[in-house]
Each structure stands twice: as structure tokens, then as C-alpha cells.
Amino acid sequence: MMYQRKAIVVDEKDNVASALVNLNKGETVEVAIGSITCKIQLISDIPFGHKFALKRIPRGEHVIKYGEVIGKASRDIE
């Protein structure tokens, strides 16, 4: 059986991943961050193309995608 990757992390500095398919609340998603593979259990539905946090991002902290700051968290992100 071929493994289908469900999310992608582009750069090791990223603190978010992007969904490659629709993901469901409660689902555990494996993501590769460099040479490390992490399992993230989702606390909400994530539509295809949207991002989700790899760790808690406190309000005011930078959101990093593609190795670059793409914004600041306007609220705490679990």
C-alpha cells in the first residue's frame, strides 16, 4: 500500500504545516520536519490548502511558513 502524505512542512524553521487533503478534527497527521517525523493530533477540521500549527503559537508570536515570517498570531493558537 502506498503512503499518501497528508500535510507538508516546507522549511525546518516553519511552525505551521499545510494540508494536502481535507483533514478531520481528532485525526493524527504525520509531518516530516527535516529528518524528523512528528505526529500532530488535530483539534479542528483543516480544509485542503489551509495551515495548522505544529506547536502552540502564543498571541503576538511570528507565524513561519516557507522559512519566512508570514504574520503574527492575533490570538493564541493551540
Coordinates of all heavy atoms in Angstrom, one line a residue:
M1 N 0.8 -1.2 0.0 CA 0.0 0.0 0.0 C 0.9 1.2 0.0 O 1.8 1.4 0.8 CB -0.9 0.0 1.2 CG -1.9 1.1 1.2 SD -3.1 0.9 2.6 CE -2.8 2.4 3.4
M2 N 0.6 2.2 -0.8 CA 1.4 3.4 -0.9 C 0.9 4.4 0.1 O -0.3 4.6 0.3 CB 1.2 4.0 -2.4 CG 2.1 5.1 -2.6 SD 2.1 5.4 -4.4 CE 3.2 6.7 -4.5
Y3 N 1.8 5.1 0.8 CA 1.5 6.1 1.8 C 1.2 7.4 1.1 O 1.9 7.8 0.3 CB 2.7 6.2 2.7 CG 2.6 7.3 3.7 CD1 1.7 7.2 4.8 CD2 3.3 8.5 3.5 CE1 1.6 8.3 5.7 CE2 3.2 9.6 4.4 CZ 2.4 9.4 5.5 OH 2.2 10.5 6.4
Q4 N 0.1 8.0 1.5 CA -0.3 9.3 1.0 C 0.1 10.4 2.0 O -0.4 10.3 3.2 CB -1.8 9.4 0.7 CG -2.2 10.7 0.2 CD -3.7 10.9 0.0 OE1 -4.5 10.1 0.5 NE2 -4.1 12.0 -0.6
R5 N 0.9 11.3 1.7 CA 1.3 12.4 2.6 C 0.1 13.3 2.7 O -0.5 13.7 1.7 CB 2.5 13.1 2.1 CG 3.0 14.1 3.0 CD 4.4 14.6 2.7 NE 4.6 14.8 1.3 CZ 5.7 15.4 0.8 NH1 6.6 15.9 1.6 NH2 5.8 15.6 -0.5
K6 N -0.3 13.7 3.9 CA -1.5 14.5 4.1 C -1.2 15.9 4.4 O -2.1 16.8 4.3 CB -2.3 13.9 5.3 CG -2.9 12.5 5.0 CD -3.7 12.0 6.1 CE -4.3 10.7 5.8 NZ -5.2 10.2 6.8
A7 N 0.1 16.2 4.8 CA 0.5 17.6 5.1 C 1.9 17.8 4.8 O 2.7 16.8 4.7 CB 0.2 17.9 6.5
I8 N 2.3 19.0 4.6 CA 3.7 19.3 4.2 C 4.3 20.4 5.1 O 3.6 21.4 5.3 CB 3.9 19.6 2.7 CG1 5.4 19.7 2.3 CG2 3.1 20.8 2.3 CD1 5.6 19.7 0.9
V9 N 5.5 20.3 5.5 CA 6.3 21.4 6.1 C 7.4 21.7 5.1 O 8.2 20.8 4.7 CB 6.9 21.0 7.5 CG1 7.7 22.1 8.1 CG2 5.7 20.6 8.4
V10 N 7.5 23.0 4.7 CA 8.4 23.3 3.6 C 9.8 23.6 4.1 O 10.8 23.2 3.5 CB 7.9 24.6 2.9 CG1 8.9 25.0 1.8 CG2 6.5 24.3 2.3
D11 N 9.9 24.2 5.3 CA 11.3 24.5 5.9 C 11.3 24.1 7.3 O 10.3 24.2 8.0 CB 11.4 26.1 5.7 CG 12.8 26.5 6.0 OD1 13.2 26.6 7.2 OD2 13.6 26.8 5.1
E12 N 12.5 23.7 7.8 CA 12.7 23.3 9.2 C 12.3 24.4 10.2 O 12.1 24.1 11.3 CB 14.1 22.8 9.4 CG 14.4 21.5 8.7 CD 15.8 21.0 8.9 OE1 16.3 21.2 10.0 OE2 16.4 20.3 8.0
K13 N 12.4 25.6 9.8 CA 12.1 26.8 10.7 C 10.5 27.0 10.8 O 10.1 27.7 11.7 CB 12.7 28.0 10.2 CG 14.2 28.0 10.3 CD 14.8 29.3 9.7 CE 14.9 29.1 8.2 NZ 15.8 30.0 7.5
D14 N 9.8 26.4 9.9 CA 8.3 26.6 10.0 C 7.7 26.1 11.3 O 8.1 25.1 11.8 CB 7.6 25.8 8.8 CG 8.0 26.3 7.4 OD1 8.7 27.4 7.4 OD2 7.6 25.7 6.4
N15 N 6.7 26.9 11.7 CA 5.9 26.4 12.9 C 4.5 26.1 12.5 O 3.6 25.9 13.3 CB 5.9 27.4 14.0 CG 5.4 28.8 13.7 OD1 4.9 29.0 12.6 ND2 5.6 29.7 14.6
V16 N 4.2 26.0 11.2 CA 2.9 25.6 10.6 C 3.2 24.6 9.5 O 4.2 24.6 8.9 CB 2.1 26.7 10.1 CG1 1.7 27.7 11.2 CG2 2.7 27.5 9.0
A17 N 2.2 23.7 9.2 CA 2.2 22.8 8.1 C 1.0 23.1 7.2 O 0.0 23.7 7.7 CB 2.1 21.4 8.6
S18 N 1.0 22.7 6.0 CA -0.1 22.9 5.1 C -0.8 21.6 4.7 O -0.1 20.6 4.5 CB 0.4 23.6 3.8 OG 0.9 24.9 4.0
A19 N -2.1 21.6 4.8 CA -2.9 20.4 4.5 C -2.9 20.1 3.0 O -3.2 21.0 2.2 CB -4.3 20.5 5.0
L20 N -2.5 18.9 2.6 CA -2.5 18.5 1.2 C -3.9 17.8 0.8 O -4.1 17.5 -0.4 CB -1.4 17.5 0.9 CG 0.0 18.1 1.1 CD1 1.1 17.1 1.0 CD2 0.2 19.3 0.2
V21 N -4.7 17.5 1.8 CA -6.0 17.0 1.7 C -6.9 17.5 2.8 O -6.4 18.2 3.7 CB -6.0 15.4 1.8 CG1 -5.2 14.8 0.7 CG2 -5.5 15.0 3.1
N22 N -8.2 17.4 2.7 CA -9.1 17.8 3.8 C -8.7 16.9 5.0 O -8.6 15.7 4.9 CB -10.5 17.6 3.5 CG -11.0 18.6 2.5 OD1 -10.5 19.7 2.4 ND2 -11.9 18.2 1.6
L23 N -8.5 17.5 6.2 CA -8.2 16.8 7.4 C -9.3 17.0 8.4 O -9.9 18.0 8.5 CB -6.8 17.3 8.0 CG -5.6 17.2 7.0 CD1 -4.4 17.9 7.6 CD2 -5.3 15.7 6.8
N24 N -9.5 16.0 9.3 CA -10.6 16.0 10.2 C -10.1 16.2 11.7 O -9.1 15.6 12.1 CB -11.4 14.7 10.1 CG -12.0 14.5 8.8 OD1 -12.6 15.4 8.3 ND2 -11.7 13.3 8.2
K25 N -10.9 16.9 12.5 CA -10.7 17.0 13.9 C -10.5 15.6 14.5 O -11.2 14.7 14.2 CB -11.9 17.7 14.5 CG -11.8 17.8 16.0 CD -13.0 18.5 16.6 CE -12.9 18.6 18.1 NZ -14.1 19.3 18.7
G26 N -9.4 15.5 15.4 CA -9.1 14.3 16.0 C -8.2 13.4 15.3 O -7.6 12.5 15.9
E27 N -8.0 13.7 14.0 CA -7.1 12.9 13.2 C -5.6 13.1 13.6 O -5.3 14.3 13.9 CB -7.3 13.3 11.7 CG -6.5 12.5 10.7 CD -6.9 12.8 9.3 OE1 -7.9 13.6 9.0 OE2 -6.3 12.3 8.4
T28 N -4.8 12.1 13.5 CA -3.4 12.3 13.8 C -2.7 12.3 12.4 O -2.8 11.4 11.6 CB -2.8 11.1 14.7 OG1 -3.5 11.2 15.9 CG2 -1.3 11.3 14.9
V29 N -1.9 13.4 12.2 CA -1.2 13.6 10.9 C 0.3 13.5 11.1 O 0.8 14.1 12.1 CB -1.6 14.9 10.3 CG1 -0.9 15.2 9.0 CG2 -3.1 15.0 10.2
E30 N 1.0 12.7 10.3 CA 2.5 12.7 10.4 C 3.0 13.8 9.4 O 2.6 13.9 8.3 CB 3.0 11.3 9.9 CG 2.9 10.3 11.0 CD 3.6 9.0 10.6 OE1 4.4 9.0 9.6 OE2 3.4 8.0 11.3
V31 N 4.0 14.5 9.9 CA 4.7 15.5 9.1 C 6.2 15.4 9.3 O 6.6 15.1 10.4 CB 4.2 17.0 9.4 CG1 2.8 17.2 9.0 CG2 4.4 17.3 10.9
A32 N 6.9 15.5 8.2 CA 8.4 15.5 8.2 C 8.9 16.9 8.3 O 8.5 17.8 7.6 CB 8.9 14.8 7.0
I33 N 9.7 17.1 9.4 CA 10.4 18.4 9.6 C 11.8 18.1 9.5 O 12.4 17.7 10.5 CB 10.0 19.0 11.0 CG1 8.4 19.1 11.1 CG2 10.6 20.4 11.1 CD1 8.0 19.4 12.5
G34 N 12.4 18.4 8.3 CA 13.8 18.0 8.1 C 13.9 16.5 8.1 O 13.1 15.8 7.5
S35 N 14.7 15.9 9.0 CA 14.9 14.5 9.1 C 14.0 13.9 10.2 O 14.1 12.7 10.5 CB 16.4 14.2 9.4 OG 16.8 14.8 10.6
I36 N 13.2 14.7 10.9 CA 12.4 14.3 12.0 C 11.0 14.1 11.5 O 10.5 15.0 10.8 CB 12.5 15.3 13.2 CG1 13.9 15.4 13.7 CG2 11.5 14.9 14.3 CD1 14.1 16.5 14.7
T37 N 10.3 13.1 11.9 CA 8.9 12.9 11.7 C 8.1 13.1 13.0 O 8.4 12.5 14.0 CB 8.6 11.5 11.1 OG1 9.3 11.4 9.9 CG2 7.1 11.3 10.8
C38 N 7.1 14.0 12.9 CA 6.3 14.3 14.1 C 4.8 13.9 13.8 O 4.4 13.9 12.7 CB 6.3 15.8 14.4 SG 7.9 16.4 14.8
K39 N 4.1 13.5 14.9 CA 2.7 13.2 14.8 C 1.9 14.3 15.5 O 2.2 14.7 16.6 CB 2.4 11.9 15.4 CG 3.0 10.7 14.6 CD 2.6 9.4 15.2 CE 3.1 8.3 14.4 NZ 2.7 7.0 14.9
I40 N 1.0 14.9 14.8 CA 0.2 16.0 15.3 C -1.3 15.6 15.3 O -1.8 15.1 14.3 CB 0.3 17.3 14.4 CG1 1.8 17.7 14.2 CG2 -0.5 18.4 15.0 CD1 2.5 18.2 15.3
Q41 N -1.9 15.7 16.5 CA -3.3 15.4 16.6 C -4.1 16.7 16.4 O -3.9 17.7 17.2 CB -3.7 14.7 17.9 CG -5.2 14.3 17.9 CD -5.6 13.4 19.0 OE1 -4.9 13.4 20.1 NE2 -6.6 12.7 18.9
L42 N -5.0 16.7 15.4 CA -5.7 18.0 15.1 C -6.8 18.2 16.1 O -7.6 17.3 16.4 CB -6.2 17.9 13.7 CG -5.2 17.6 12.6 CD1 -5.8 17.4 11.2 CD2 -4.2 18.8 12.6
I43 N -7.0 19.5 16.4 CA -8.1 19.9 17.4 C -9.3 20.5 16.6 O -10.2 20.9 17.2 CB -7.6 20.8 18.5 CG1 -7.0 22.1 18.0 CG2 -6.6 20.0 19.4 CD1 -6.6 23.1 19.0
S44 N -9.1 20.6 15.3 CA -10.2 21.1 14.5 C -10.0 20.6 13.0 O -9.0 20.1 12.7 CB -10.3 22.7 14.5 OG -9.1 23.2 13.9
D45 N -11.1 20.7 12.2 CA -11.0 20.3 10.8 C -10.1 21.3 10.1 O -10.1 22.5 10.4 CB -12.4 20.4 10.2 CG -13.4 19.3 10.6 OD1 -12.9 18.3 11.2 OD2 -14.6 19.5 10.5
I46 N -9.3 20.8 9.2 CA -8.4 21.7 8.4 C -8.7 21.4 6.9 O -8.4 20.3 6.4 CB -6.9 21.3 8.7 CG1 -6.6 21.4 10.2 CG2 -6.0 22.3 7.9 CD1 -6.7 22.7 10.9
P47 N -9.2 22.4 6.2 CA -9.5 22.2 4.8 C -8.2 22.1 4.0 O -7.2 22.7 4.3 CB -10.3 23.4 4.4 CG -10.8 24.0 5.7 CD -9.8 23.6 6.7
F48 N -8.3 21.4 2.8 CA -7.2 21.4 1.9 C -6.6 22.8 1.6 O -7.3 23.7 1.4 CB -7.7 20.8 0.6 CG -6.7 21.0 -0.6 CD1 -5.6 20.2 -0.7 CD2 -7.0 21.9 -1.5 CE1 -4.7 20.4 -1.7 CE2 -6.1 22.1 -2.6 CZ -5.0 21.4 -2.7
G49 N -5.3 22.9 1.7 CA -4.6 24.1 1.4 C -4.4 25.0 2.6 O -3.6 26.0 2.5
H50 N -5.1 24.8 3.7 CA -5.0 25.6 4.9 C -3.9 25.1 5.7 O -3.4 24.0 5.6 CB -6.3 25.6 5.6 CG -7.4 26.4 4.9 ND1 -7.9 27.5 5.5 CD2 -8.0 26.2 3.8 CE1 -8.9 28.0 4.6 NE2 -8.9 27.2 3.6
K51 N -3.5 25.9 6.7 CA -2.3 25.6 7.5 C -2.8 25.3 8.9 O -3.9 25.7 9.3 CB -1.3 26.7 7.5 CG -1.7 28.0 7.9 CD -0.6 29.0 7.6 CE -1.1 30.5 7.7 NZ -2.2 30.9 6.9
F52 N -2.0 24.5 9.7 CA -2.2 24.3 11.1 C -0.9 24.3 11.8 O 0.2 24.1 11.3 CB -2.9 22.9 11.3 CG -2.2 21.7 10.7 CD1 -1.3 21.0 11.6 CD2 -2.4 21.3 9.4 CE1 -0.6 19.9 11.1 CE2 -1.7 20.2 8.9 CZ -0.8 19.5 9.8
A53 N -1.0 24.7 13.1 CA 0.2 24.9 13.9 C 0.8 23.5 14.3 O 0.2 22.5 14.5 CB -0.2 25.6 15.2
L54 N 2.2 23.5 14.3 CA 2.9 22.4 14.7 C 3.2 22.4 16.2 O 3.6 21.4 16.8 CB 4.2 22.3 13.9 CG 4.1 22.2 12.4 CD1 5.5 22.4 11.8 CD2 3.5 20.8 12.1
K55 N 3.0 23.5 16.8 CA 3.2 23.7 18.2 C 2.4 24.9 18.7 O 1.8 25.6 17.8 CB 4.7 24.0 18.5 CG 5.2 25.4 17.9 CD 6.6 25.7 18.3 CE 7.0 27.1 17.9 NZ 6.8 28.0 19.0
R56 N 2.2 25.1 19.9 CA 1.5 26.2 20.4 C 2.2 27.5 20.0 O 3.4 27.7 20.1 CB 1.4 26.2 21.9 CG 0.5 27.2 22.5 CD 0.3 27.1 24.0 NE -0.6 28.0 24.5 CZ -0.3 29.3 24.8 NH1 0.9 29.8 24.6 NH2 -1.3 30.1 25.2
I57 N 1.4 28.4 19.4 CA 1.9 29.7 19.0 C 1.2 30.8 19.8 O 0.0 31.0 19.5 CB 1.7 29.9 17.4 CG1 2.3 28.8 16.6 CG2 2.3 31.3 17.0 CD1 2.0 28.9 15.1
P58 N 1.9 31.4 20.7 CA 1.2 32.4 21.6 C 0.9 33.7 20.8 O 1.5 34.0 19.8 CB 2.2 32.7 22.6 CG 3.3 31.7 22.6 CD 3.2 31.1 21.2
R59 N -0.2 34.4 21.2 CA -0.6 35.6 20.6 C 0.7 36.5 20.5 O 1.4 36.7 21.4 CB -1.6 36.3 21.4 CG -2.2 37.5 20.8 CD -3.3 38.1 21.6 NE -3.0 39.5 21.6 CZ -3.4 40.4 22.5 NH1 -4.1 40.0 23.5 NH2 -3.1 41.6 22.4
G60 N 0.8 37.1 19.3 CA 2.0 38.0 19.1 C 3.2 37.4 18.5 O 4.1 38.1 18.0
E61 N 3.3 36.0 18.6 CA 4.5 35.3 18.1 C 4.4 35.2 16.5 O 3.3 35.2 16.0 CB 4.6 33.9 18.7 CG 5.9 33.2 18.2 CD 6.0 31.9 19.0 OE1 6.0 31.9 20.2 OE2 6.2 30.9 18.3
H62 N 5.5 35.2 15.9 CA 5.5 35.1 14.4 C 5.0 33.7 14.0 O 5.3 32.7 14.6 CB 6.9 35.2 13.9 CG 7.4 36.6 14.0 ND1 8.7 36.9 14.5 CD2 6.9 37.8 13.7 CE1 8.9 38.2 14.5 NE2 7.8 38.8 14.0
V63 N 4.2 33.8 12.9 CA 3.8 32.5 12.2 C 4.8 32.4 11.0 O 5.1 33.3 10.2 CB 2.4 32.7 11.6 CG1 2.0 31.4 10.8 CG2 1.4 32.9 12.8
I64 N 5.5 31.2 11.0 CA 6.6 31.0 10.0 C 6.2 29.9 9.0 O 5.8 28.8 9.4 CB 7.9 30.7 10.7 CG1 8.2 31.8 11.7 CG2 9.0 30.4 9.7 CD1 9.3 31.4 12.6
K65 N 6.2 30.2 7.7 CA 5.9 29.3 6.7 C 6.9 29.6 5.5 O 7.3 30.7 5.3 CB 4.5 29.4 6.2 CG 4.1 28.4 5.1 CD 2.6 28.6 4.8 CE 2.2 27.6 3.7 NZ 0.8 27.8 3.3
Y66 N 7.4 28.5 4.9 CA 8.5 28.7 3.8 C 9.8 29.2 4.4 O 10.5 29.9 3.7 CB 8.0 29.6 2.7 CG 6.7 29.2 2.1 CD1 5.6 30.2 2.2 CD2 6.4 28.0 1.5 CE1 4.4 29.8 1.6 CE2 5.2 27.7 1.0 CZ 4.2 28.6 1.0 OH 3.0 28.3 0.5
G67 N 9.9 29.1 5.8 CA 11.1 29.6 6.4 C 11.1 31.1 6.6 O 12.1 31.7 7.1
E68 N 9.9 31.7 6.3 CA 9.8 33.2 6.4 C 8.6 33.5 7.3 O 7.6 32.8 7.4 CB 9.5 33.8 5.0 CG 10.6 33.5 4.0 CD 11.9 34.3 4.3 OE1 11.9 35.3 5.0 OE2 13.0 33.7 4.0
V69 N 8.7 34.7 8.0 CA 7.6 35.2 8.8 C 6.5 35.6 7.8 O 6.7 36.4 6.9 CB 8.0 36.4 9.6 CG1 6.8 37.0 10.3 CG2 9.1 36.0 10.6
I70 N 5.3 35.0 8.0 CA 4.1 35.4 7.1 C 3.1 36.2 7.9 O 2.1 36.6 7.3 CB 3.5 34.1 6.5 CG1 2.9 33.2 7.5 CG2 4.5 33.5 5.5 CD1 2.0 32.1 6.9
G71 N 3.3 36.4 9.2 CA 2.4 37.2 10.0 C 2.6 36.9 11.5 O 3.6 36.2 11.9
K72 N 1.8 37.6 12.3 CA 1.8 37.4 13.7 C 0.5 36.8 14.2 O -0.6 37.1 13.6 CB 2.0 38.7 14.5 CG 3.4 39.2 14.5 CD 3.5 40.4 15.4 CE 5.0 40.8 15.5 NZ 5.1 42.0 16.3
A73 N 0.5 35.9 15.2 CA -0.7 35.3 15.7 C -1.5 36.4 16.4 O -1.0 37.1 17.3 CB -0.3 34.2 16.7
S74 N -2.8 36.6 16.0 CA -3.6 37.6 16.5 C -4.3 37.0 17.8 O -4.9 37.8 18.6 CB -4.7 38.0 15.6 OG -5.5 36.9 15.1
R75 N -4.1 35.7 18.1 CA -4.6 35.1 19.3 C -3.8 33.9 19.5 O -3.0 33.5 18.7 CB -6.1 34.7 19.1 CG -6.3 33.7 18.0 CD -7.8 33.2 17.9 NE -8.0 32.4 16.7 CZ -7.7 31.1 16.7 NH1 -7.1 30.5 17.7 NH2 -7.9 30.4 15.6
D76 N -3.9 33.3 20.7 CA -3.2 32.0 21.0 C -3.6 31.0 20.0 O -4.9 30.8 19.8 CB -3.4 31.6 22.4 CG -2.7 32.5 23.4 OD1 -1.8 33.3 23.1 OD2 -3.1 32.4 24.6
I77 N -2.7 30.2 19.4 CA -3.0 29.1 18.5 C -2.5 27.9 19.2 O -1.3 27.7 19.4 CB -2.4 29.4 17.1 CG1 -2.8 30.7 16.5 CG2 -2.7 28.2 16.2 CD1 -2.1 31.1 15.3
E78 N -3.5 26.9 19.4 CA -3.1 25.7 20.0 C -2.6 24.8 18.9 O -1.9 23.9 18.9 CB -4.3 25.0 20.8 CG -4.7 25.9 21.9 CD -3.7 26.2 23.0 OE1 -2.9 25.3 23.3 OE2 -3.7 27.3 23.5

